[in-house]
Amino acid sequence: MRPALYDKSEVAAHFGRAAQRYKQLANVQKHTGEALLRLASTHVSEQNQGTVLDLGCGPAIFADALSARAQRYVGVDIATPMLAQAQRACPSLKFVLADMEALPFHASMATLIYSNLAVQWANSLQALCAEAWRVLAPGGSFVFSTVLDDSLMPLAQLRARYGQMTGRVGAGTNAHKSLDEWQSALTAAGFSIQLAQSEAVVGEFDDVATLIRSVSGIGADYQATPTRSLSRSELLFLTQEYEAYRNQGFLPLTYNVGFVIAYKSIQ
């Protein structure tokens, strides 16, 4: 069965509604973005020239750090309210409304493409990697983090268990790709893989309501397939069952995050 496709207008709407509170709630995104910057500093030469393209820039959390790496910074996002927040935060920088699978840029315009926890919203890995290859200059790098399969645990498992118990289907999480699938798509597009690793990134929360809000509050709760709403009885079930996972006073939500650095050869 072919996986359901994301309705990009709905993706934009979900993230747009979350724009004003995104910075306050995006703790996992801040962690992975900072880790990605460190990897880029280690594995990608500091050029201080050309253009850095920030795909899925959101409210420009990392714009200052990225703009320091190049002569020109361009932030790209699918949600207009996110770009409005970004422009207010960084009035001197350029931001563009676009889908990362169909970028409005000429070939070889960027020396570095950076993307933090955004590329998982692509409907086609092949299309996304082909676009990154097209707009990246020879010798440039595509540096990104992405949500991989087996993420949002144990929330996803508990919601699935509740559905089995009650016969209410339609819960769960989006079907994220594996690290191997990403590497295959990048290689097919022409990239050389410099680094590809995964890491369990764990968010810690006081209660189930706050944990769920960490996903819905930043707009990342959009589902490609129809999903049931979270009822009071299911919330009670999650509240009770999640206690078995409490560790050092906190409830965990674990993301399986991939970190990738791909290189476009000069030849």
Side-chain angles (χ1 to χ4, degrees), residues 28-48:
V28 169
Q29 288 73 15
K30 291 173 185 174
H31 171 86
T32 58
E34 290 166 358
L36 192 61
L37 286 172
R38 290 193 295 271
L39 288 173
S41 296
T42 301
H43 295 276
V44 180
S45 62
E46 288 276 1
Q47 297 183 32
N48 288 322

Side-chain angles (χ1 to χ4, degrees), residues 26-229:
N27 293 323
V28 169
Q29 288 73 15
K30 291 173 185 174
H31 171 86
T32 58
E34 290 166 358
L36 192 61
L37 286 172
R38 290 193 295 271
L39 288 173
S41 296
T42 301
H43 295 276
V44 180
S45 62
E46 288 276 1
Q47 297 183 32
N48 288 322
Q49 58 186 352
T51 298
V52 58
L53 197 60
D54 186 2
L55 293 185
C57 64
I61 294 174
F62 300 104
D64 287 340
L66 289 169
S67 61
R69 294 186 58 97
Q71 292 178 337
R72 184 169 178 254
Y73 168 95
V74 179
V76 176
D77 206 274
I78 198 172
T80 300
M82 283 289 192
L83 293 177
Q85 292 285 327
Q87 198 71 75
R88 279 193 288 270
C90 304
S92 65
L93 298 180
K94 182 177 181 179
F95 297 94
V96 175
L97 180 69
D99 184 338
M100 66 182 73
E101 293 179 77
L103 295 169
F105 305 121
H106 62 75
S108 303
M109 61 82 68
T111 51
L112 174 68
I113 300 175
Y114 171 98
S115 184
N116 177 47
L117 294 190
V119 296
Q120 66 268 12
W121 295 103
N123 277 321
S124 169
L125 271 60
Q126 292 73 24
L128 173 65
C129 293
E131 273 295 84
W133 173 270
R134 182 184 67 81
V135 302
L136 192 64
S141 294
F142 181 22
V143 178
F144 66 89
S145 61
T146 183
V147 178
L148 299 174
D149 52 350
D150 296 324
S151 286
L152 293 173
M153 297 299 178
L155 177 64
Q157 292 174 325
L158 291 174
R159 293 209 71 191
R161 188 192 307 171
Y162 179 84
Q164 292 169 353
M165 290 170 49
T166 61
R168 297 186 65 210
V169 297
T173 59
N174 291 315
H176 297 299
K177 303 299 184 181
S178 69
L179 192 57
D180 285 343
E181 288 176 292
W182 275 107
Q183 291 184 83
S184 295
L186 287 162
T187 301
F191 284 101
S192 299
I193 309 296
Q194 288 181 285
L195 179 144
Q197 63 188 42
S198 60
E199 175 188 338
V201 178
V202 183
E204 296 179 330
F205 304 93
D206 293 325
D207 52 58
V208 166
T210 306
L211 182 149
I212 292 173
R213 194 159 53 247
S214 75
V215 180
S216 62
I218 62 168
D221 58 335
Y222 167 70
Q223 299 289 309
T225 54
T227 184
R228 67 174 188 260
S229 59

